[in-house]
Amino acid sequence: EVQLVESGGGLVQPGGSLRLSCAASGFTFSTYSMNWVRQAPGKGLEWVSHISSYTNTIYYADSLKGRFTISRDNAKNSLYLQMNSLRAEDTAVYYCAREWAIWGQGTLVTVSS
Amino acid sequence: QAVVTQEPSLTVSPGGTVILTCASSTGAVTSGHSPHWFQQKPGQAPRTLIFDTSNKHSWTPARFSGSLLGGKAALTLSGAQPEDEAEYYCLLSYGGAYVVFGRGTKLTVL
């Protein structure tokens, strides 16, 4: 079964850091580009970042201003999102997506003191 | 940054037909924007219905179809079912991997 499972979310104070993970299974992870998307409570979807299959191309949403870093480990079938200098407005469910066909169930990040 | 506009809400009768649209602030939507459509129900992750304007996944119900219509991307639902009540998002690509989601259309089947 093709599956993506996010983890690493939780409660963090403003200014703190978190690292999200996305574990892939059921397909050849290394051959697909991946995306992170977030959804603030009661709001719409917002694209966060993209990484190509062999990490040669990386893009970020302009709004992130260099605070987030996407990476992947094809040997571990895993995608990551390092989030630094977190703000209240980063509070959201974070989804990983295989290109745009397969989505994980999401992990909630709450930034609050 | 481009803004992608969708109808905030639409209502369709059971068995009826409704068209959701997706417009770009930069001009007409073309196949080059690789329009995608997603369905999201409360408490669930998004599910992709349509990719690259009009292509369906194996799980996409036949009653959904995608097209370009009057300079916009369009998602047509023919023969609406109660289970189609959901939020629908479109996604447009603007070069490379830069993409923008629309704000979503809340579809009510009533």
Side-chain angles (χ1 to χ4, degrees):
Chain A
E1 179 191 5
V2 174
Q3 196 171 14
L4 297 171
V5 179
E6 300 93 337
S7 60
L11 176 64
V12 61
Q13 292 189 338
S17 298
L18 269 182
R19 188 195 196 205
L20 305 183
S21 299
C22 170
S25 59
F27 64 97
T28 306
F29 177 72
S30 62
T31 63
Y32 290 90
S33 62
M34 299 292 294
N35 290 280
W36 284 102
V37 175
R38 67 184 181 182
Q39 186 170 36
K43 303 297 184 182
L45 302 173
E46 179 186 15
W47 171 71
V48 170
S49 184
H50 164 97
I51 187 168
S52 60
S53 55
Y54 289 100
T55 318
N56 51 323
T57 306
I58 289 175
Y59 295 93
Y60 299 97
D62 291 342
S63 61
L64 298 180
K65 297 187 187 300
R67 298 183 295 121
F68 290 10
T69 302
I70 192 172
S71 62
R72 65 190 296 162
D73 186 335
N74 288 338
K76 294 183 177 179
N77 292 331
S78 292
L79 174 72
Y80 305 102
L81 186 68
Q82 177 68 42
M83 304 187 296
N84 299 328
S85 303
L86 284 163
R87 307 166 180 169
E89 54 265 36
D90 296 317
T91 294
V93 174
Y94 285 73
Y95 297 100
C96 61
R98 189 194 82 177
E99 295 180 348
W100 292 113
I102 305 297
W103 294 67
Q105 85 291 346
T107 187
L108 176 63
V109 172
T110 302
V111 184
S112 175
S113 55
Chain B
Q1 183 177 338
V3 175
V4 177
T5 301
Q6 299 181 242
E7 297 87 359
S9 63
L10 291 169
T11 300
V12 62
S13 300
T17 296
V18 64
I19 300 175
L20 289 67
T21 67
C22 176
S24 172
S25 62
T26 63
V29 176
T30 70
S31 59
H33 288 96
S34 188
H36 286 58
W37 289 94
F38 307 92
Q39 178 192 64
Q40 187 179 34
K41 297 181 179 180
Q44 296 184 15
R47 179 175 76 143
T48 310
L49 294 176
I50 300 290
F51 64 98
D52 294 343
T53 306
S54 58
N55 295 286
K56 300 180 185 182
H57 288 288
S58 58
W59 55 80
T60 304
R63 58 186 180 274
F64 289 96
S65 62
S67 64
L68 296 176
L69 197 62
K72 300 179 183 181
L75 177 70
T76 301
L77 171 56
S78 303
Q81 301 297 311
E83 60 266 30
D84 298 328
E85 187 161 295
E87 194 85 21
Y88 292 83
Y89 294 93
C90 70
L91 175 78
L92 298 180
S93 296
Y94 291 91
Y98 286 102
V99 298
V100 179
F101 284 96
R103 293 190 174 187
T105 295
K106 182 178 176 60
L107 182 66
T108 301
V109 181
L110 188 61

